[in-house]
Amino acid sequence: MRHGGAITVPIIVVLSAIFYLYYTTVFVFIDDWFGLATSHGILNALAFTAVVAMCLVAYAAAILKDPGKVPDSFVPDVEDSDTPMHEIKRKGGDLRFCQKCSHYKPPRAHHCRVCKRCVLRMDHHCIWINNCVGHENYKLFFVFVTYAVFSCVHALVLLIGSVSNDAQEDWKQIESSSNTSYIISGILLVLLTVALGILLCWHIYLILRNKTTIEYHEGVRAMWLAKKVGNVYQHPYDLSPYENLTLVLGPSIFTWLCPTSKHIGSGLRFKTIYDDLNSASSSR
């Protein structure tokens, strides 16, 4: 069962906030500060519109894109020399098998209780896109959050600049409807900038370590257990910061903020720190 694509109340809330803040930023803040007929006003309006448009495209793609379905025919090949590592259950040491979906789980796949299915490289289920964030749409989700932060920061700067400009005039002479839009937009922008900024920083950290949110929490436990017996835990998919970036966002820096994900592969196998060791031992 897949929930992605259906319009829900949280999605309507997000779209309403985007369109409201777009309107107030362009037709209130920019118009009050520069005037929409001036060169500065036109440039700011065009730049803000472009970023918001990219934000909406990425948001729609994250909603509509399937996060990654595990093929019904998937069976891990324990004799495959090109796959030096297989994830196993914490108890028993068996290969991971989903009792609810009745199939084996590829590495990094997890069962989503909301979507009622296993998702490849699952990060989390997000109510704001009514979809899981997984292998196929993780970059789209990240790009959406990035452009949302850019939009909020730009709008906040324009709001502050417009207020500073209006402060030189008599505030009481400004229409009450304009005052209300300043107050509502200011509250929304501060809250969204802080919340989305924290979320963006969190996912930048995860990408640099090539982790998902689930793997981060599993890693905390794994580090504690390893330290308990005198070992050191190392995340098997953490190759290097730059290589981790290219694996998630794409090989070219010019496409990192494009809402595309053609580079990601099947999601059934991921490069690990053991691959080079395996290749070196095979060549001897």
Side-chain angles (χ1 to χ4, degrees):
M1 181 182 294
R2 180 172 179 267
H3 290 246
I7 301 298
T8 59
V9 173
I11 291 177
I12 294 174
V13 169
V14 171
L15 292 175
S16 299
I18 291 174
F19 288 119
Y20 176 77
L21 290 174
Y22 175 79
Y23 175 83
T24 56
T25 300
V26 174
F27 298 102
V28 179
F29 308 154
I30 294 178
D31 193 31
D32 284 353
W33 190 6
F34 300 111
L36 286 175
T38 65
S39 58
H40 286 87
I42 293 172
L43 287 175
N44 273 281
L46 288 175
F48 187 72
T49 300
V51 175
V52 171
M54 291 297 291
C55 180
L56 285 171
V57 169
Y59 185 57
I63 293 172
L64 298 172
K65 183 73 171 179
D66 190 290
K69 183 179 184 298
V70 178
D72 296 331
S73 59
F74 173 77
V75 178
D77 186 357
V78 295
E79 297 181 355
D80 184 6
S81 60
D82 292 331
T83 307
M85 186 190 73
H86 293 277
E87 293 181 356
I88 59 175
K89 294 181 180 179
R90 293 177 184 173
K91 297 181 180 179
D94 298 327
L95 291 171
R96 297 166 67 236
F97 187 86
C98 182
Q99 298 293 341
K100 295 178 180 178
C101 296
S102 300
H103 59 58
Y104 285 99
K105 293 181 183 179
R108 315 182 82 177
H110 294 274
H111 187 87
C112 176
R113 290 175 293 179
V114 180
C115 295
K116 295 180 172 60
R117 53 173 279 197
C118 286
V119 176
L120 296 174
R121 196 184 178 275
M122 180 178 172
D123 187 89
H124 69 286
H125 185 89
C126 179
I127 64 169
W128 302 108
I129 64 172
N130 190 34
N131 202 2
C132 271
V133 177
H135 177 66
E136 297 281 348
N137 67 345
Y138 180 82
K139 181 190 174 183
L140 301 172
F141 174 80
F142 176 79
V143 170
F144 158 65
V145 174
T146 302
Y147 281 117
V149 171
F150 289 168
S151 301
C152 287
V153 171
H154 191 183
L156 197 56
V157 169
L158 291 170
L159 183 149
I160 294 171
S162 181
V163 169
S164 300
N165 182 63
D166 290 339
Q168 299 174 8
E169 304 175 6
D170 188 352
W171 180 261
K172 294 181 180 179
Q173 294 179 356
I174 301 174
E175 296 181 4
S176 60
S177 59
S178 180
N179 288 344
T180 303
S181 64
Y182 272 98
I183 294 170
I184 295 175
S185 298
I187 294 172
L188 283 174
L189 285 171
V190 170
L191 293 176
L192 287 173
T193 301
V194 172
L196 291 173
I198 293 172
L199 182 63
L200 178 62
C201 291
W202 168 247
H203 281 283
I204 289 174
Y205 165 80
L206 291 177
I207 289 174
L208 290 173
R209 297 297 181 90
N210 200 359
K211 292 181 179 180
T212 64
T213 300
I214 294 174
E215 289 169 349
Y216 170 81
H217 292 294
E218 290 179 339
V220 171
R221 174 179 169 80
M223 288 175 64
W224 178 78
L225 291 173
K227 186 177 181 180
K228 195 174 180 180
V229 296
N231 294 330
V232 177
Y233 171 77
Q234 187 174 3
H235 183 57
Y237 304 104
D238 186 5
L239 306 175
S240 69
Y242 181 75
E243 192 167 0
N244 293 338
L245 277 169
T246 58
L247 287 173
V248 176
L249 300 181
S252 173
I253 190 173
F254 299 106
T255 62
W256 283 2
L257 292 182
C258 293
T260 58
S261 55
K262 296 180 180 179
H263 64 282
I264 56 177
S266 67
L268 299 177
R269 185 188 183 283
F270 297 90
K271 186 177 180 181
T272 71
I273 57 177
Y274 306 110
D275 288 4
D276 293 335
L277 295 176
N278 186 62
S279 301
S281 60
S282 299
S283 62
R284 290 177 182 176

